[in-house]
Amino acid sequence: MLGSKSINRPLLALAISAALCATGHASEQDNNATAKANLLLARMTQDEKISLVHGAGFFTSPIGGGGYVPGIERLGIPPLNYADSSSGINLAGKNTTPLPATLALAASWDPALANRYGTLIGHELRTLGFAGGLGGGTNLAREPRNGRTFEYLGEDPLLAGTLLAERTKGTQAQHVLGMAKHFAVNGQETDRFNSNSVVSERVLRELYLRPFEIAVKDGQPAVVMCAYNKVNGEKACENKHLLSDILKGEWGFDGYVQSDWVMAVTDTARAANSGTDEEEPGSPDDNQPGLMGRGTWFNQKLKAALQGGTVATQRLDDMVRRKLVMLYRHGIMDAPPVPGGQVDRAAGDKLALYAAESSMVLLKNAPKASTSQHAPLPLDAKRLHTVVVVGGHADVGVMAGGGSAAVPARDGNAVVCRTPGAKDSVIGIFDLCAIWHKSSPLEAIRVRLPGATVTYFDGSDATAAAAAAAQADATIVFATQYTTEQIDLADLSLPDAKRDPANQGYDQNALIEAVASRARNTIVVLENGTAVTMPWVDKVQAVLAAWFPGAQGGPAIASILFGEVNPSGKLPITFPASEQDLPQQAINTRNPDVDYDEGLLMGYRRYDAQQRTPLFAFGHGLSYTHFTYSNLHVTPYVNGDVSVSFTLANDGPRGGAEVAQVYAGLPADSGEPPQRLVGWQKVFLKPGESRNLSLTLPAARFSVWSDGWFVPQGEASLKVGGSSRDAHGLRASFTLGKRLLSAGA
Ligand code: BGC
């Protein structure tokens, strides 16, 4: 995938050491890393140690990244530059690849893609001289109005954790430090520096910490970023229970904890003694007010704390040792990244296209009842004479999310902002204007319809668009929903000019209603950062969630619409029928306490337990072919693992990939919601092909928390199907035996 000409020499040398690891020398290499780190540590002065545990200040990275820890030449410790890289590197002018948002990655349900996603980002980071990536967001989508939902991996802990582990492996195989963030329970942006997530230990363990646990244990990220918010009254970066007892203690995390930026740390001793190992962005002078006027904590103040004995020397050594071990383990000491390389744009585009095509979710595809023709998708170029395309700036590009996760548009922004220069009102650095990648869906549609008349309306005149739609064989309406760090959405409806003056010039819901009332076929394509409510859903024939689809969004959308690629994405978050169905009715802007008093009833767990019908269920996603499940067998093993096998057949007309999902219902008295995801497999089948699939589900996937992990005893069930609510899914019962897996901290 990565062009060989872009691989540099130190990397080749490192590839050899990676190959050695793969052949079983990993622990030896780790021992070496620790031994070397200890030797180096013994040579360091206290000032040198302190210089390694804080950044040099905001925007100080000489190569433009979000964080910078200068090196120590005398000791051969290279400078550490970190760049934001949620779905590509947030660095202007370097041709970095804007991949589809991480929420889209989650919608692919494809661990192999997650690995390639991480690999590409890691490779580009190293090519540009960065040792660490500030990506890897995995806060669960309890509150889909959270402005950062697009940066995370959905609402299910197993799906999110598995994909993050794979992404991390991909990045770290490129000898770049991988990351999991924001640890933990950083579920919304409102008042994010002060908010306090109040959550029970059981819910913490089973839901909000679980993706981190999976990613830390399976992916071994070098860095965990602790969050801004408080968790049960303690700042996440000053939270001994989270950082020392659980992360480093129970889970054995041997990397380092990096603070989130600006105001995650509020006290030197509390942060250091709780387990934070590096303060970012840091400052040359802790007493300078800095961006939010609160100063910093891990420079002169740390020195004073060491002198005063409130932070022990051993703790400073531990902070430094953790970092040095990671630098040795990931080959950064031996072959530091060298800035100045060229990103391989073609390789990036190739993955961006594949990832976008793998992640779009076909939510609805049904013929208009009154005319009962075929389903509107895939579009058949031979039968289309007139097509109308409306709105969403589809003539020029596709939307992307904002904040630190933004990836600059490589060829300039496709859309002129309606409020140029507008920034968020809290911190004043995040753009209210979206990035639009120059990748026009309209152009890609036109290419596929050389003989047809394709007319574009910009959406501002709903009446004109509707009149044209009435004459067209098909009408495709593009709708966009901008989301960004620092700002939560007021609701999940498609924004209008009032809600989002920077990016919207008209009422998108009214436009869709107007078009749908007259069109023969209305197809809605969403470029969305989270779930969307759809008051018009019964009036349109097809809905495609394209998410923020990245640099190749235009061609990817067209290839799905025309059936060159059969859609295979599945929802990683529930689309609620209304905000009333969410755990909190509204985001409280006055009370910093965010009570997670819904307990485990979050995401699909909530809809199932309360027997509510969502707009579109978790795991839902249609295909242009048809899959049938049969032959379900469940075998519990003596070691507590459960084996499940079934046959999946593609009995429809075309090839396609299905995400076969396995859900477990735990014994009735376990206090668990009706079902949880315990496994899945994404498989491509040719038309007429069937395959026997078998998955081994580790005992941990059936466990619940009560001062430790245990598997509850009793009658349980397994359900296999194409979504969490597949009416044609298969079900079988089996018996779980009680089993203690691990004791708590
Ligand atoms: C975000 C982090 C990001 C950091 C550096 C913070 O505001 O929460 O996710 O990595 O900024 O840009």
Side-chain angles (χ1 to χ4, degrees):
M1 175 196 53
L2 301 165
S4 57
K5 67 177 184 306
S6 62
I7 292 181
N8 60 29
R9 277 183 186 285
L11 262 185
L12 278 179
L14 288 166
I16 298 167
S17 71
L20 288 177
C21 293
T23 54
H25 294 267
S27 62
E28 192 186 314
Q29 200 210 25
D30 285 355
N31 289 341
N32 283 342
T34 309
K36 286 179 183 169
N38 280 329
L39 283 176
L40 200 52
L41 193 62
R43 295 171 53 208
M44 292 174 77
T45 65
Q46 188 185 69
D47 284 351
E48 285 170 337
K49 292 176 190 174
I50 291 174
S51 78
L52 276 196
V53 300
H54 64 86
F58 245 106
F59 308 125
T60 48
S61 162
I63 54 172
Y68 173 52
V69 180
I72 305 174
E73 218 179 323
R74 173 183 94 83
L75 299 168
I77 300 174
L80 275 184
N81 285 283
Y82 306 104
D84 275 300
S85 46
S86 172
S87 58
I89 307 169
N90 186 351
L91 203 64
K94 297 286 179 196
N95 272 324
T96 61
T97 306
L99 291 166
T102 24
L103 185 62
L105 175 64
S108 78
W109 292 59
D110 184 352
L113 175 61
N115 191 297
R116 293 177 63 188
Y117 193 100
T119 302
L120 185 100
I121 290 174
H123 185 74
E124 291 190 0
L125 282 165
R126 202 168 230 280
T127 300
L128 296 171
F130 293 92
L134 310 171
T138 188
N139 296 95
L140 294 186
R142 164 191 189 250
E143 174 47 82
R145 287 165 292 201
N146 176 3
R148 300 188 85 170
T149 305
F150 74 101
E151 281 186 59
Y152 301 142
L153 292 160
E155 72 189 26
D156 182 78
L158 180 64
L159 178 64
T162 306
L163 295 177
L164 180 55
E166 284 307 314
R167 174 197 170 136
T168 305
K169 288 180 204 164
T171 294
Q172 296 194 157
Q174 297 299 311
H175 307 286
V176 167
L177 308 180
M179 161 173 288
K181 74 182 186 184
H182 310 89
F183 191 69
V185 214
N186 186 190
Q188 58 192 53
E189 291 296 279
T190 302
D191 201 12
R192 65 177 173 154
F193 304 121
N194 300 307
S195 72
N196 176 28
S197 303
V198 183
V199 55
S200 76
E201 190 68 16
R202 176 172 181 177
V203 173
L204 194 61
R205 301 297 192 129
E206 292 188 22
L207 293 180
Y208 300 100
L209 296 190
R210 191 72 181 142
F212 290 97
E213 180 174 5
I214 295 168
V216 163
K217 289 181 176 168
D218 296 351
Q220 301 189 357
V223 190
V224 167
M225 184 190 283
C226 51
Y228 285 130
N229 53 287
K230 294 178 187 149
V231 179
N232 294 329
E234 299 282 1
K235 291 286 278 182
C237 295
E238 297 172 357
N239 197 312
K240 180 175 167 299
H241 184 52
L242 287 183
L243 303 180
S244 290
D245 301 346
I246 299 178
L247 174 68
K248 295 179 176 176
E250 272 180 47
W251 302 348
F253 172 69
D254 63 352
Y256 61 96
V257 174
Q258 175 186 70
S259 77
D260 200 344
W261 267 238
V262 200
M263 292 212 297
V265 174
T266 61
D267 182 278
T268 305
R270 265 209 311 264
N273 294 335
S274 302
T276 294
D277 301 299
E278 176 190 289
E279 188 193 16
E280 283 294 342
S283 159
D285 180 355
D286 276 345
N287 295 310
Q288 285 299 311
L291 191 71
M292 297 292 283
R294 301 273 187 96
T296 51
W297 304 90
F298 271 26
N299 195 353
Q300 293 83 3
K301 289 179 191 163
L302 179 57
K303 189 167 183 169
L306 288 157
Q307 266 155 14
T310 53
V311 175
T313 317
Q314 294 88 322
R315 175 64 191 117
L316 176 65
D317 286 352
D318 177 46
M319 292 155 84
V320 176
R321 185 184 299 108
R322 285 171 174 274
K323 177 169 284 162
L324 294 177
V325 169
M326 291 303 117
L327 297 185
Y328 278 117
R329 183 182 295 169
H330 295 289
I332 290 157
M333 286 297 289
D334 297 333
V338 183
Q342 295 293 320
V343 165
D344 181 344
R345 187 165 164 161
D349 274 338
K350 200 167 154 201
L351 186 67
L353 179 66
Y354 177 75
E357 290 173 343
S358 306
S359 61
M360 294 187 189
V361 183
L362 182 59
L363 295 171
K364 173 172 180 175
N365 188 25
K368 204 168 194 173
S370 56
T371 47
S372 75
Q373 310 135 336
H374 304 286
L377 296 177
L379 296 171
D380 181 352
K382 291 190 296 296
R383 296 216 234 154
L384 296 173
H385 305 291
T386 8
V387 171
V388 167
V389 176
V390 190
H393 297 287
D395 55 333
V396 287
V398 288
M399 184 181 254
S404 57
V407 187
R410 294 178 302 189
D411 306 309
N413 213 326
V415 173
V416 178
C417 183
R418 305 177 72 84
T419 59
K423 305 279 183 196
D424 75 276
S425 61
V426 181
I427 186 165
I429 59 173
F430 298 118
D431 290 325
L432 300 185
C433 306
I435 285 168
W436 299 78
H437 298 299
K438 283 187 181 159
S439 177
S440 159
L442 175 66
E443 241 171 57
I445 290 167
R446 282 206 166 118
V447 167
R448 287 158 174 88
L449 290 172
T453 307
V454 182
T455 317
Y456 178 70
F457 291 82
D458 70 6
S460 57
D461 184 345
T463 314
Q471 308 302 318
D473 300 319
T475 302
I476 308 167
V477 186
F478 284 80
T480 56
Q481 175 203 44
Y482 181 61
T483 63
T484 174
E485 176 172 348
Q486 193 62 66
I487 304 170
D488 290 327
L489 296 175
D491 57 47
L492 298 174
S493 67
L494 286 171
D496 56 16
K498 209 163 125 220
R499 283 257 194 272
D500 181 7
N503 302 299
Q504 304 296 342
Y506 54 86
D507 181 337
Q508 301 190 92
N509 280 333
L511 172 72
I512 296 172
E513 296 269 0
V515 167
S517 70
R518 303 204 51 199
R520 279 183 229 160
N521 265 319
T522 309
I523 296 148
V524 176
V525 178
L526 303 169
E527 290 162 25
N528 52 321
T530 181
V532 172
T533 51
M534 304 178 199
W536 34 259
V537 72
D538 293 335
K539 300 174 193 156
V540 305
Q541 284 64 59
V543 184
L544 178 71
W547 315 108
F548 295 140
Q552 291 294 315
I557 288 169
S559 77
I560 297 271
L561 293 178
F562 284 86
E564 291 153 25
V565 172
N566 196 344
S568 63
K570 301 276 186 174
L571 286 183
I573 43 171
T574 307
F575 276 37
S578 129
E579 291 82 0
Q580 302 296 306
D581 294 341
L582 298 173
Q584 48 186 5
Q585 298 300 293
I587 297 179
N588 193 332
T589 51
R590 298 216 189 93
N591 184 354
D593 286 343
V594 184
D595 281 318
Y596 285 53
D597 48 15
E598 72 283 356
L600 296 169
L601 302 189
M602 182 274 277
Y604 63 91
R605 290 161 165 83
R606 175 177 194 81
Y607 297 82
D608 295 340
Q610 301 183 341
Q611 299 180 340
R612 295 186 199 218
T613 307
L615 176 59
F616 293 109
F618 178 82
H620 169 75
L622 302 172
S623 166
Y624 298 146
T625 189
H626 182 265
F627 297 99
T628 297
Y629 291 79
S630 61
N631 275 331
L632 175 63
H633 294 288
V634 179
T635 316
Y637 292 138
V638 279
N639 70 353
D641 295 353
V642 177
S643 155
V644 55
S645 65
F646 52 94
T647 305
L648 179 67
N650 177 352
D651 47 12
R654 31 173 103 213
E658 167 72 325
V659 179
Q661 301 160 42
V662 187
Y663 295 87
L666 296 191
D669 59 2
S670 61
E672 288 293 305
Q675 62 174 348
R676 60 162 71 167
L677 182 73
V678 288
W680 75 91
Q681 197 165 338
K682 187 167 187 176
V683 265
F684 179 89
L685 295 179
K686 295 194 281 259
E689 187 181 353
S690 71
R691 199 174 305 167
N692 297 328
L693 301 176
S694 112
L695 282 75
T696 300
L697 309 169
R701 298 196 186 165
F702 300 88
S703 62
V704 301
W705 179 266
S706 174
D707 289 334
W709 288 109
F710 76 96
V711 177
Q713 180 157 15
E715 277 304 292
S717 62
L718 273 193
K719 214 182 83 183
V720 175
S723 93
S724 67
R725 294 211 168 185
D726 186 346
H728 305 290
L730 307 173
R731 193 180 275 273
S733 320
F734 67 105
T735 306
L736 281 173
K738 190 169 172 105
R739 176 180 298 270
L740 180 67
L741 298 180
S742 66

